[in-house]
Coordinates of all heavy atoms in Angstrom, one line a residue:
M1 N -2.8 -2.8 28.5 CA -3.5 -3.3 27.3 C -2.8 -3.2 26.1 O -2.1 -2.2 25.8 CB -4.9 -2.4 27.2 CG -5.9 -2.8 28.1 SD -7.4 -1.8 28.1 CE -7.9 -2.1 26.4
T2 N -3.0 -4.2 25.2 CA -2.5 -4.1 23.9 C -3.3 -3.3 22.9 O -4.4 -3.1 23.3 CB -2.2 -5.5 23.4 OG1 -3.5 -6.2 23.6 CG2 -1.2 -6.2 24.1
V3 N -2.8 -3.0 21.9 CA -3.6 -2.3 20.9 C -4.3 -3.2 20.1 O -3.9 -3.9 19.2 CB -2.6 -1.4 19.9 CG1 -3.3 -0.6 18.9 CG2 -1.6 -0.5 20.7
S4 N -5.6 -3.1 20.4 CA -6.5 -4.1 19.7 C -7.4 -3.5 18.7 O -8.0 -4.1 17.9 CB -7.3 -4.8 20.9 OG -8.0 -3.8 21.5
S5 N -7.5 -2.1 18.7 CA -8.4 -1.5 17.7 C -7.7 -1.5 16.3 O -8.4 -1.2 15.4 CB -8.7 -0.2 18.1 OG -7.7 0.7 18.4
N6 N -6.4 -1.5 16.3 CA -5.7 -1.5 15.1 C -5.4 -2.9 14.5 O -4.9 -3.9 15.2 CB -4.3 -0.9 15.3 CG -4.3 0.6 15.4 OD1 -5.4 1.2 15.7 ND2 -3.2 1.4 15.2
M7 N -5.7 -3.1 13.3 CA -5.3 -4.3 12.7 C -4.3 -4.0 11.6 O -4.4 -3.1 10.8 CB -6.6 -4.8 11.9 CG -7.6 -5.6 12.7 SD -7.7 -7.3 12.1 CE -8.3 -7.0 10.5
Q8 N -3.3 -4.9 11.6 CA -2.3 -4.8 10.6 C -2.4 -5.9 9.5 O -2.4 -7.0 9.8 CB -0.9 -4.8 11.3 CG 0.3 -4.4 10.3 CD 1.5 -3.9 11.0 OE1 2.2 -4.8 11.5 NE2 1.9 -2.7 11.0
L9 N -2.6 -5.4 8.3 CA -2.6 -6.3 7.2 C -1.3 -6.3 6.4 O -0.6 -5.3 6.5 CB -3.8 -5.9 6.2 CG -5.2 -5.8 6.9 CD1 -6.1 -5.2 6.0 CD2 -5.7 -7.1 7.4
R10 N -1.0 -7.3 5.8 CA 0.2 -7.4 5.0 C -0.2 -7.8 3.6 O -0.8 -8.8 3.4 CB 1.3 -8.3 5.5 CG 2.5 -8.3 4.7 CD 3.6 -9.0 5.4 NE 4.8 -9.3 4.6 CZ 5.7 -8.3 4.2 NH1 5.6 -7.2 4.8 NH2 6.7 -8.6 3.4
C11 N 0.4 -7.0 2.6 CA 0.2 -7.5 1.2 C 1.4 -8.1 0.8 O 2.5 -7.4 0.5 CB -0.2 -6.4 0.3 SG -0.6 -6.9 -1.4
E12 N 1.5 -9.4 0.5 CA 2.7 -10.1 0.1 C 3.1 -9.8 -1.2 O 4.3 -9.7 -1.5 CB 2.5 -11.6 0.2 CG 2.2 -12.2 1.6 CD 3.4 -12.0 2.6 OE1 4.5 -11.8 2.1 OE2 3.2 -12.1 3.7
L13 N 2.1 -9.5 -2.0 CA 2.5 -9.0 -3.4 C 3.2 -7.7 -3.4 O 4.2 -7.5 -4.0 CB 1.2 -9.0 -4.3 CG 0.9 -10.3 -4.9 CD1 -0.5 -10.0 -5.7 CD2 1.9 -10.8 -5.8
C14 N 2.7 -6.7 -2.8 CA 3.1 -5.4 -2.9 C 4.3 -5.1 -1.8 O 4.9 -4.1 -1.8 CB 2.0 -4.4 -2.6 SG 0.7 -4.7 -3.8
Q15 N 4.5 -6.1 -1.0 CA 5.5 -5.9 0.1 C 5.2 -4.7 1.0 O 6.2 -3.9 1.3 CB 6.9 -5.9 -0.6 CG 7.2 -7.1 -1.4 CD 7.5 -8.3 -0.4 OE1 8.3 -8.3 0.5 NE2 6.7 -9.4 -0.6
I16 N 4.0 -4.6 1.4 CA 3.7 -3.4 2.3 C 2.9 -3.9 3.4 O 2.3 -5.0 3.4 CB 3.1 -2.2 1.5 CG1 1.9 -2.8 0.7 CG2 4.1 -1.5 0.8 CD1 0.7 -3.0 1.5
E17 N 2.6 -3.1 4.4 CA 1.8 -3.4 5.5 C 0.8 -2.1 5.8 O 1.3 -1.0 5.5 CB 2.6 -3.6 6.8 CG 3.3 -4.9 6.7 CD 4.1 -5.1 8.1 OE1 4.1 -4.2 8.9 OE2 4.7 -6.3 8.2
I18 N -0.4 -2.5 6.0 CA -1.4 -1.4 6.1 C -1.9 -1.6 7.6 O -2.3 -2.7 8.1 CB -2.6 -1.7 5.3 CG1 -2.2 -1.5 3.8 CG2 -3.7 -0.6 5.5 CD1 -3.3 -1.8 2.9
N19 N -1.8 -0.4 8.4 CA -2.5 -0.5 9.6 C -3.9 0.1 9.4 O -4.2 1.2 9.0 CB -1.8 0.6 10.6 CG -0.5 0.1 11.2 OD1 -0.5 -1.2 11.5 ND2 0.5 0.9 11.4
E20 N -4.9 -0.8 9.8 CA -6.2 -0.4 9.8 C -6.6 0.3 11.0 O -6.6 -0.2 12.1 CB -7.1 -1.5 9.6 CG -7.0 -2.2 8.2 CD -8.2 -2.9 7.7 OE1 -8.9 -3.7 8.6 OE2 -8.8 -2.6 6.6
N21 N -6.9 1.6 10.9 CA -6.9 2.6 12.1 C -8.3 3.1 11.9 O -8.6 3.9 11.2 CB -5.9 3.6 12.1 CG -6.0 4.4 13.3 OD1 -7.1 4.6 13.9 ND2 -4.9 4.7 13.9
A22 N -9.3 2.8 12.7 CA -10.6 3.2 12.7 C -10.7 4.8 12.8 O -11.6 5.3 12.2 CB -11.5 2.6 13.7
D23 N -9.9 5.3 13.6 CA -10.1 6.7 14.0 C -9.4 7.6 12.8 O -10.1 8.5 12.5 CB -9.3 7.1 15.2 CG -9.9 6.3 16.5 OD1 -11.1 5.9 16.4 OD2 -9.1 6.0 17.4
R24 N -8.3 7.4 12.3 CA -7.6 8.2 11.5 C -7.6 7.7 10.0 O -7.0 8.4 9.2 CB -6.1 8.5 11.9 CG -6.1 9.3 13.3 CD -4.7 9.4 13.7 NE -4.1 8.0 13.9 CZ -2.9 7.7 13.9 NH1 -2.0 8.8 13.4 NH2 -2.4 6.5 14.0
G25 N -8.2 6.7 9.7 CA -8.1 6.0 8.4 C -6.9 5.3 8.2 O -6.0 5.1 9.2
D26 N -7.0 4.4 7.2 CA -5.9 3.4 7.1 C -4.5 4.0 6.7 O -4.6 5.1 6.0 CB -6.3 2.4 5.9 CG -7.4 1.6 6.4 OD1 -7.8 1.6 7.5 OD2 -8.1 0.9 5.5
E27 N -3.5 3.4 7.2 CA -2.1 4.1 7.0 C -1.3 3.0 6.4 O -1.0 1.9 6.9 CB -1.6 4.4 8.4 CG -0.5 5.3 8.4 CD -0.1 5.6 9.9 OE1 0.0 4.8 10.7 OE2 0.2 6.9 10.1
V28 N -0.7 3.3 5.2 CA 0.1 2.2 4.5 C 1.5 2.5 4.9 O 2.0 3.7 4.8 CB 0.0 2.4 3.0 CG1 0.9 1.5 2.2 CG2 -1.5 2.2 2.6
L29 N 2.2 1.5 5.2 CA 3.6 1.5 5.7 C 4.5 1.2 4.5 O 4.6 -0.1 4.3 CB 4.0 0.6 6.8 CG 3.0 0.8 8.1 CD1 3.3 -0.1 9.2 CD2 3.0 2.2 8.6
F30 N 5.0 2.0 3.7 CA 5.9 1.6 2.6 C 7.3 1.3 3.1 O 7.7 1.7 4.2 CB 6.0 3.0 1.7 CG 4.8 3.2 0.9 CD1 3.9 4.3 1.4 CD2 4.4 2.6 -0.1 CE1 2.8 4.7 0.7 CE2 3.2 2.9 -0.8 CZ 2.4 4.0 -0.4
S31 N 7.9 0.6 2.3 CA 9.2 0.0 2.7 C 10.2 1.1 2.7 O 11.2 1.1 3.5 CB 9.8 -1.0 1.6 OG 9.7 -0.5 0.4
R32 N 10.0 2.2 1.9 CA 10.8 3.4 2.2 C 9.9 4.6 2.3 O 8.9 4.7 1.7 CB 11.7 3.5 0.9 CG 12.8 2.6 0.9 CD 13.7 2.8 -0.4 NE 12.8 2.7 -1.6 CZ 13.3 3.0 -2.8 NH1 14.5 3.5 -3.0 NH2 12.5 2.8 -3.9
G33 N 10.5 5.7 2.9 CA 9.7 6.9 2.9 C 8.6 7.0 4.0 O 8.5 6.0 4.8
A34 N 7.8 7.9 3.9 CA 6.8 8.3 4.8 C 5.6 7.3 4.6 O 5.5 6.6 3.6 CB 6.3 9.7 4.7
T35 N 4.7 7.1 5.5 CA 3.5 6.4 5.5 C 2.6 7.1 4.5 O 2.7 8.3 4.2 CB 2.8 6.2 6.8 OG1 2.5 7.5 7.4 CG2 3.6 5.4 7.7
G36 N 1.6 6.4 3.9 CA 0.7 7.0 3.0 C -0.8 6.3 3.1 O -1.0 5.6 3.9
S37 N -1.5 6.7 2.1 CA -3.0 6.3 2.1 C -3.0 5.1 1.2 O -2.0 4.8 0.5 CB -3.8 7.3 1.5 OG -3.4 7.7 0.2
R38 N -4.2 4.4 1.2 CA -4.4 3.3 0.3 C -4.4 3.7 -1.1 O -4.1 2.9 -2.0 CB -5.7 2.7 0.8 CG -5.7 1.6 1.8 CD -7.1 1.0 2.1 NE -7.1 0.2 3.1 CZ -7.1 -1.2 2.9 NH1 -7.1 -1.7 1.7 NH2 -7.2 -2.0 4.0
S39 N -4.9 4.9 -1.4 CA -5.0 5.4 -2.7 C -3.6 5.6 -3.2 O -3.2 5.3 -4.5 CB -5.8 6.6 -2.9 OG -5.2 7.8 -2.2
K40 N -2.6 5.9 -2.4 CA -1.3 6.2 -2.8 C -0.7 4.8 -3.2 O 0.1 4.7 -4.3 CB -0.4 6.9 -1.8 CG 1.0 7.1 -2.1 CD 1.7 7.7 -0.9 CE 1.9 9.2 -1.2 NZ 2.7 9.9 -0.1
L41 N -0.9 3.8 -2.4 CA -0.5 2.5 -2.6 C -1.0 2.0 -3.9 O -0.3 1.3 -4.7 CB -0.9 1.5 -1.4 CG -0.6 0.1 -1.6 CD1 0.9 -0.1 -1.6 CD2 -1.3 -0.8 -0.6
W42 N -2.2 2.2 -4.2 CA -2.9 1.8 -5.3 C -2.2 2.4 -6.6 O -1.8 1.8 -7.6 CB -4.3 2.2 -5.5 CG -5.1 2.0 -6.8 CD1 -5.3 3.0 -7.7 CD2 -5.5 0.9 -7.4 NE1 -5.9 2.6 -8.7 CE2 -6.0 1.2 -8.7 CE3 -5.5 -0.5 -7.1 CZ2 -6.6 0.3 -9.5 CZ3 -6.1 -1.4 -7.9 CH2 -6.6 -0.9 -9.1
A43 N -2.1 3.7 -6.6 CA -1.4 4.5 -7.7 C 0.0 4.1 -8.0 O 0.4 4.1 -9.1 CB -1.4 5.9 -7.3
R44 N 0.7 3.6 -6.9 CA 2.1 3.3 -7.2 C 2.4 1.7 -7.4 O 3.4 1.4 -8.1 CB 2.9 3.7 -5.9 CG 2.9 5.1 -5.7 CD 3.8 5.5 -4.5 NE 4.0 7.0 -4.4 CZ 4.9 7.5 -3.7 NH1 5.8 6.9 -3.1 NH2 4.9 8.9 -3.6
V45 N 1.5 1.0 -6.9 CA 1.9 -0.5 -6.9 C 0.7 -1.3 -7.4 O 0.8 -1.9 -8.5 CB 2.2 -0.9 -5.5 CG1 2.6 -2.4 -5.6 CG2 3.4 -0.1 -4.9
C46 N -0.5 -1.2 -6.7 CA -1.4 -2.2 -6.9 C -2.2 -2.2 -8.3 O -2.7 -3.2 -8.7 CB -2.6 -2.1 -5.8 SG -1.9 -2.3 -4.2
Q47 N -2.3 -1.0 -8.9 CA -2.9 -1.0 -10.2 C -2.0 -1.7 -11.3 O -2.7 -1.9 -12.4 CB -3.1 0.5 -10.6 CG -1.8 1.2 -10.8 CD -2.1 2.7 -11.6 OE1 -3.0 2.7 -12.3 NE2 -1.4 3.6 -11.1
Y48 N -0.8 -2.0 -11.0 CA -0.1 -2.6 -12.1 C -0.2 -4.1 -12.0 O 0.4 -4.8 -12.8 CB 1.4 -2.2 -12.0 CG 1.6 -0.7 -12.0 CD1 1.9 0.2 -11.0 CD2 1.3 -0.1 -13.4 CE1 2.0 1.5 -11.1 CE2 1.4 1.3 -13.5 CZ 1.9 2.1 -12.4 OH 1.9 3.4 -12.5
L49 N -0.9 -4.7 -11.0 CA -1.0 -6.1 -11.1 C -1.8 -6.5 -12.3 O -2.8 -6.0 -12.7 CB -1.8 -6.6 -9.7 CG -1.1 -6.2 -8.4 CD1 -2.0 -6.6 -7.3 CD2 0.3 -6.7 -8.3
K50 N -1.4 -7.7 -12.9 CA -1.9 -8.1 -14.1 C -2.9 -9.3 -14.1 O -4.0 -9.1 -14.6 CB -0.7 -8.4 -15.0 CG 0.2 -7.5 -15.4 CD -0.3 -6.6 -16.6 CE 1.0 -5.7 -17.1 NZ 1.5 -4.8 -16.2
T51 N -2.5 -10.3 -13.4 CA -3.3 -11.4 -13.5 C -4.4 -11.4 -12.3 O -4.3 -10.8 -11.3 CB -2.5 -12.7 -13.2 OG1 -2.0 -12.7 -12.0 CG2 -1.4 -12.7 -14.4
D52 N -5.5 -12.2 -12.6 CA -6.5 -12.4 -11.6 C -6.0 -12.9 -10.3 O -6.5 -12.7 -9.1 CB -7.7 -13.2 -12.0 CG -8.5 -12.5 -13.2 OD1 -8.3 -11.2 -13.2 OD2 -9.2 -13.1 -13.9
E53 N -4.9 -13.9 -10.5 CA -4.4 -14.5 -9.3 C -3.7 -13.4 -8.4 O -3.8 -13.5 -7.1 CB -3.4 -15.5 -9.8 CG -2.9 -16.5 -8.7 CD -1.9 -17.5 -9.3 OE1 -1.9 -17.7 -10.5 OE2 -1.2 -18.1 -8.5
Q54 N -2.9 -12.6 -9.1 CA -2.3 -11.5 -8.3 C -3.3 -10.5 -7.6 O -3.2 -10.2 -6.5 CB -1.4 -10.6 -9.3 CG -0.1 -11.3 -9.7 CD 0.6 -10.3 -10.7 OE1 0.1 -9.8 -11.6 NE2 2.0 -10.4 -10.6
K55 N -4.3 -10.2 -8.4 CA -5.4 -9.3 -7.8 C -6.2 -9.9 -6.7 O -6.5 -9.2 -5.6 CB -6.4 -8.8 -8.9 CG -5.8 -7.9 -10.0 CD -6.7 -7.6 -11.0 CE -6.1 -6.8 -12.0 NZ -6.9 -6.6 -13.3
A56 N -6.2 -11.4 -6.7 CA -6.9 -11.9 -5.6 C -6.0 -12.0 -4.3 O -6.6 -12.0 -3.3 CB -7.3 -13.4 -6.0
S57 N -4.7 -11.9 -4.5 CA -3.8 -11.9 -3.3 C -3.7 -10.6 -2.7 O -3.2 -10.4 -1.7 CB -2.5 -12.4 -3.8 OG -2.7 -13.7 -4.2
C58 N -4.0 -9.4 -3.6 CA -3.7 -8.2 -3.1 C -4.8 -7.7 -2.2 O -6.0 -7.9 -2.5 CB -3.5 -7.2 -4.3 SG -3.2 -5.4 -3.9
I59 N -4.5 -7.0 -1.1 CA -5.4 -6.6 -0.1 C -5.9 -5.1 -0.3 O -6.7 -4.6 0.4 CB -4.8 -6.6 1.3 CG1 -3.7 -5.7 1.4 CG2 -4.5 -8.0 1.7 CD1 -3.0 -5.6 2.8
N60 N -5.4 -4.6 -1.5 CA -5.9 -3.2 -1.8 C -6.6 -3.0 -3.1 O -6.4 -2.0 -3.9 CB -4.5 -2.3 -1.8 CG -5.0 -0.8 -1.7 OD1 -5.8 -0.5 -1.0 ND2 -4.2 0.0 -2.3
Q61 N -7.5 -3.9 -3.4 CA -8.1 -4.0 -4.7 C -9.6 -3.3 -4.5 O -10.2 -3.3 -5.5 CB -8.2 -5.4 -5.4 CG -6.9 -5.8 -5.8 CD -6.2 -5.1 -6.9 OE1 -7.0 -4.8 -7.9 NE2 -5.0 -4.8 -6.8
D62 N -9.9 -3.1 -3.3 CA -11.4 -2.6 -3.1 C -11.4 -1.2 -3.2 O -10.9 -0.4 -2.4 CB -11.7 -3.1 -1.7 CG -13.2 -2.9 -1.4 OD1 -13.9 -2.0 -2.2 OD2 -13.7 -3.5 -0.5
V63 N -12.2 -0.6 -4.2 CA -12.2 0.8 -4.5 C -12.9 1.5 -3.3 O -12.5 2.6 -3.0 CB -12.7 1.1 -5.8 CG1 -14.3 0.7 -5.8 CG2 -12.7 2.5 -6.2
S64 N -13.8 0.9 -2.7 CA -14.5 1.4 -1.6 C -13.7 1.8 -0.4 O -13.8 2.5 0.5 CB -15.8 0.6 -1.3 OG -15.4 -0.5 -0.6
K65 N -12.5 0.9 -0.4 CA -11.6 1.2 0.8 C -10.6 2.0 0.5 O -10.1 2.8 1.3 CB -11.1 -0.2 1.2 CG -11.9 -1.1 2.0 CD -11.2 -2.3 2.5 CE -12.0 -3.0 3.7 NZ -11.3 -4.2 4.2
R66 N -10.0 1.9 -0.7 CA -8.9 2.8 -1.0 C -9.3 4.2 -1.4 O -8.5 5.2 -1.4 CB -8.1 2.1 -2.1 CG -8.8 2.2 -3.5 CD -7.7 1.6 -4.5 NE -8.3 1.9 -5.9 CZ -9.0 1.0 -6.6 NH1 -9.1 -0.3 -6.0 NH2 -9.4 1.3 -7.7
G67 N -10.5 4.4 -1.9 CA -11.0 5.8 -2.4 C -10.3 6.1 -3.7 O -9.7 5.3 -4.3
T68 N -10.5 7.3 -4.1 CA -10.1 7.8 -5.3 C -8.6 8.2 -5.2 O -8.2 8.7 -4.3 CB -11.0 8.9 -6.0 OG1 -11.0 10.0 -4.9 CG2 -12.3 8.5 -6.3
E69 N -7.9 8.2 -6.4 CA -6.5 8.6 -6.4 C -6.5 10.1 -6.2 O -7.1 10.8 -6.9 CB -5.9 8.2 -7.7 CG -4.5 8.3 -7.8 CD -3.9 7.9 -9.1 OE1 -4.4 6.9 -9.7 OE2 -3.0 8.5 -9.6
M70 N -5.5 10.5 -5.5 CA -5.3 11.9 -5.1 C -4.1 12.4 -5.8 O -3.2 11.7 -6.1 CB -5.1 12.1 -3.6 CG -6.3 11.5 -2.7 SD -7.8 12.6 -2.9 CE -7.3 13.9 -2.0
P71 N -4.1 13.7 -6.1 CA -2.9 14.4 -6.6 C -1.6 14.1 -5.8 O -1.8 14.2 -4.6 CB -3.2 15.9 -6.7 CG -4.7 15.9 -6.6 CD -5.2 14.7 -5.9
G72 N -0.6 13.6 -6.4 CA 0.6 13.5 -5.6 C 0.7 12.0 -5.2 O 1.7 11.6 -4.6
D73 N -0.2 11.2 -5.5 CA -0.2 9.7 -5.2 C 0.9 9.1 -6.0 O 1.4 8.1 -5.5 CB -1.5 9.1 -5.2 CG -2.4 9.3 -4.1 OD1 -1.9 9.9 -3.1 OD2 -3.6 9.0 -4.2
R74 N 1.0 9.5 -7.2 CA 2.0 8.7 -8.0 C 3.4 9.3 -8.0 O 3.6 10.4 -7.6 CB 1.6 9.1 -9.6 CG 0.4 8.3 -9.8 CD -0.3 8.8 -11.3 NE -1.5 8.1 -11.5 CZ -1.6 7.1 -12.4 NH1 -0.7 6.6 -13.1 NH2 -2.8 6.6 -12.5
Y75 N 4.3 8.5 -8.5 CA 5.7 8.9 -8.3 C 6.1 10.1 -9.1 O 6.9 11.0 -8.9 CB 6.6 7.7 -8.8 CG 6.7 6.6 -7.8 CD1 6.5 5.3 -8.3 CD2 7.3 6.7 -6.7 CE1 6.5 4.2 -7.3 CE2 7.5 5.8 -5.7 CZ 7.0 4.4 -6.1 OH 7.3 3.4 -5.2
E76 N 5.4 10.1 -10.3 CA 5.7 11.1 -11.3 C 5.5 12.6 -10.7 O 6.3 13.4 -11.0 CB 4.7 11.0 -12.6 CG 5.1 9.8 -13.4 CD 4.4 8.6 -12.9 OE1 3.6 8.7 -11.9 OE2 4.6 7.5 -13.4
E77 N 4.5 12.8 -10.0 CA 4.1 14.1 -9.5 C 5.3 14.4 -8.5 O 5.6 15.7 -8.5 CB 2.9 14.1 -8.9 CG 1.9 13.6 -9.9 CD 0.6 14.4 -9.7 OE1 0.4 15.4 -9.1 OE2 -0.5 13.8 -10.2
I78 N 5.7 13.6 -7.6 CA 6.8 13.8 -6.8 C 8.0 14.1 -7.4 O 8.7 15.2 -7.0 CB 6.9 12.5 -5.7 CG1 5.7 12.4 -4.8 CG2 8.2 12.7 -5.0 CD1 5.7 11.3 -4.0
A79 N 8.4 13.4 -8.5 CA 9.6 13.7 -9.2 C 9.6 15.0 -9.9 O 10.6 15.7 -9.9 CB 9.8 12.6 -10.3
L80 N 8.4 15.4 -10.2 CA 8.3 16.8 -10.9 C 8.6 17.9 -9.9 O 9.3 18.9 -10.1 CB 6.8 17.0 -11.3 CG 6.6 18.0 -12.4 CD1 7.3 17.5 -13.7 CD2 5.1 18.2 -12.7
V81 N 8.1 17.7 -8.6 CA 8.4 18.7 -7.5 C 9.9 18.7 -7.3 O 10.5 19.7 -7.0 CB 7.6 18.2 -6.2 CG1 8.2 19.3 -5.1 CG2 6.2 18.4 -6.5
E82 N 10.6 17.6 -7.2 CA 12.0 17.5 -6.9 C 12.8 18.1 -8.0 O 13.8 18.8 -7.7 CB 12.5 16.0 -6.8 CG 12.0 15.4 -5.5 CD 12.3 13.9 -5.5 OE1 12.7 13.4 -6.5 OE2 12.1 13.3 -4.3
V83 N 12.4 18.0 -9.3 CA 13.1 18.6 -10.4 C 13.1 20.2 -10.3 O 14.0 20.8 -10.4 CB 12.6 18.2 -11.7 CG1 13.1 19.0 -12.8 CG2 12.9 16.7 -12.0
E84 N 11.8 20.7 -10.0 CA 11.6 22.0 -9.8 C 12.4 22.7 -8.6 O 12.9 23.7 -8.7 CB 10.2 22.3 -9.7 CG 9.3 22.1 -11.0 CD 7.9 22.3 -10.8 OE1 7.4 22.5 -9.7 OE2 7.1 22.4 -11.7
G85 N 12.4 21.9 -7.6 CA 13.1 22.3 -6.3 C 14.6 22.4 -6.3 O 15.1 23.2 -5.8
T86 N 15.2 21.3 -6.9 CA 16.7 21.1 -6.7 C 17.6 21.5 -7.9 O 18.6 21.9 -7.8 CB 16.8 19.7 -6.3 OG1 16.5 18.8 -7.2 CG2 16.2 19.4 -5.0
Q87 N 17.1 21.1 -9.1 CA 17.9 21.1 -10.3 C 19.2 20.4 -10.2 O 20.2 20.8 -10.7 CB 18.1 22.5 -10.8 CG 16.9 23.5 -11.0 CD 17.2 24.8 -11.3 OE1 18.4 25.3 -11.2 NE2 16.2 25.6 -11.8
A88 N 19.1 19.3 -9.4 CA 20.3 18.5 -9.2 C 20.6 17.4 -10.2 O 21.7 16.9 -10.3 CB 20.3 17.7 -7.7
E89 N 19.6 17.3 -11.0 CA 19.8 16.2 -12.1 C 20.7 16.7 -13.1 O 20.8 17.9 -13.6 CB 18.4 15.9 -12.7 CG 17.5 15.2 -11.7 CD 18.0 13.7 -11.3 OE1 18.3 12.9 -12.3 OE2 18.0 13.4 -10.2
S90 N 21.4 15.7 -13.8 CA 22.2 15.9 -14.9 C 23.2 17.2 -14.9 O 24.1 17.2 -14.4 CB 21.4 16.1 -16.3 OG 21.0 17.3 -16.3
Ligands
ZN1 ZN1 -1.3 -4.9 -3.0

């Protein structure tokens, strides 16, 4: 049997794919790094879409699907951890 319970969506604008997984929640496949949640995708990419045309093409504009933004969803918070951990910059 093929995997039929999973639906894979692709957001052409954000260049990501989302596995819709009924059991474990949706899983966003970023082009780099680990998979994440829809709220992470929103915090990093989708919230920056400007025009209505862009928003209409984005598959992650539904707040009821993506949920609220969680700590660590943004790049900034991850960068902060890296700075504290490594001190490799400059
Ligand atoms: Zn998107």
Side-chain angles (χ1 to χ4, degrees):
M1 280 176 64
T2 52
V3 184
S4 57
S5 61
N6 285 17
M7 273 241 307
Q8 190 161 72
L9 305 174
R10 179 172 173 79
C11 185
E12 295 295 338
L13 274 177
C14 305
Q15 298 291 303
I16 49 82
E17 290 177 357
I18 298 177
N19 276 328
E20 291 208 309
N21 189 322
D23 298 330
R24 292 176 300 150
D26 294 349
E27 197 175 43
V28 176
L29 309 177
F30 291 99
S31 55
R32 288 181 297 170
T35 59
S37 61
R38 275 177 179 261
S39 66
K40 183 182 254 181
L41 175 63
W42 166 260
R44 294 185 175 195
V45 183
C46 302
Q47 67 168 319
Y48 300 111
L49 299 180
K50 294 279 196 298
T51 68
D52 288 342
E53 195 177 341
Q54 286 178 320
K55 289 174 184 174
S57 305
C58 180
I59 60 176
N60 196 37
Q61 295 290 318
D62 188 341
V63 68
S64 67
K65 281 192 173 181
R66 72 172 186 263
T68 51
E69 191 182 321
M70 304 291 286
D73 280 352
R74 290 168 183 259
Y75 284 123
E76 291 84 3
E77 307 216 15
I78 288 173
L80 204 66
V81 171
E82 286 174 354
V83 168
E84 285 173 352
T86 62
Q87 297 180 353
E89 293 289 313
S90 81

